[in-house]
Amino acid sequence: QVLDGKRRPSGGMVRLGSGAKPGIFTQQQARRAGRVMDAIWNQYPRFTELEVRSHLARFGYRGEEVFKDCASLSGGELARLRFAELALERPNLMFLDEPTNHLDIYMRESLTQALAAYTGTLLLVTHDRYLMQTLDCPIMYLENGSATFYQNFAALQNREAGRGAKVQETQQKAEDSAKKQGYGKEQRKRRAEVRARLKKVETEIEELGAHIVELENEINDPEVLRDHLLLRDKCDELDDTRFHQQELYEEWEKLAEEQERFENEGE
């Protein structure tokens, strides 16, 4: 909002280049009046109905969905409508705040591909690790009140010098040792621990998924939307929940790989 001119900076100044044509995507889209197709048609009145509907179809609005009342749209539907508008605005500078929130897997993948092909300047705030990894762009990582700059997501993952190589070497030694020793007491114990942790992580992921749906519904509640402080708290809680769920997904993948190694070694 500071970069977009919506808020004044607490210090210094913000000045965009003379040729900058910014496009803005906010995490919580404002409610609007009219139908879905009106959101496009009112801005581009020279479009034919076929052109409007064809454009909206690229963003998941097909058939009777283009006649939906915008006031009844979910968070994900509002996000898709805003991206449909941005595609026509053709900005050379985009500010995106958590752009993949509320989107289903298909739309998240489509958006990631579109951003990867975008030739303008992109500044986004995100907790989506897949998006960061795919875009492979520089990252300013905020943690404990400080900011650290990383060249890309790979550098962020290996932020301790030599950490990645050392971890890989340690894992390889552990695997070699396990193969030599076979399934002894420690291996059986570890296998049981992995199995138990996998089950617990799966349960936690499901619980967080249900909580995310609950928070999204609360955020779209008119009473919450009118209370800016409550809305901010709910959005922060939603971000933290999504971030924690992503961490659990990554842990689950590592545990599943470890369990598969145990099974292969036992054959």
Side-chain angles (χ1 to χ4, degrees), residues 2 9 21 24 51 76 85 97 111 113 123 129 139 141 157 164 217 235 242 252:
V2 171
K21 182 183 178 183
I24 315 298
E51 288 174 327
E85 294 173 330
D97 184 9
L111 175 62
Q113 292 176 1
L123 177 65
R129 298 188 176 195
I139 296 172
Y141 190 73
Q157 286 184 305
N217 290 334
C235 290
R242 283 200 175 106
W252 183 90

Side-chain angles (χ1 to χ4, degrees), residues 159-176:
R159 48 185 177 269
E160 296 177 12
R163 175 175 173 270
K166 290 180 180 178
V167 170
Q168 186 175 6
E169 182 181 355
T170 301
Q171 289 178 340
Q172 187 62 48
K173 288 181 179 179
E175 291 174 8
D176 293 342

Side-chain angles (χ1 to χ4, degrees), residues 27-28 219 230-239:
Q27 184 175 167
Q28 295 300 323
I219 287 172
L230 179 59
L231 178 61
R232 184 187 64 186
D233 291 341
K234 291 292 183 182
C235 290
D236 289 343
E237 184 180 356
L238 181 60
D239 288 342

Side-chain angles (χ1 to χ4, degrees), residues 40-75:
I40 302 298
W41 221 344
N42 290 342
Q43 296 297 320
Y44 303 91
R46 294 186 179 182
F47 280 13
T48 65
E49 180 175 346
L50 179 59
E51 288 174 327
V52 172
R53 298 186 67 158
S54 296
H55 179 71
L56 286 170
R58 295 170 51 202
F59 297 87
Y61 288 102
R62 297 180 175 85
E64 296 300 311
E65 290 184 337
V66 300
F67 300 113
K68 267 187 168 183
D69 187 351
C70 290
S72 67
L73 298 180
S74 67

Side-chain angles (χ1 to χ4, degrees), residues 197-214:
R197 180 58 184 164
L198 261 174
K199 186 174 181 180
K200 184 176 181 181
V201 168
E202 289 172 355
T203 300
E204 290 180 5
I205 288 174
E206 291 178 0
E207 291 175 348
L208 288 175
H211 188 46
I212 287 172
V213 173
E214 180 182 345

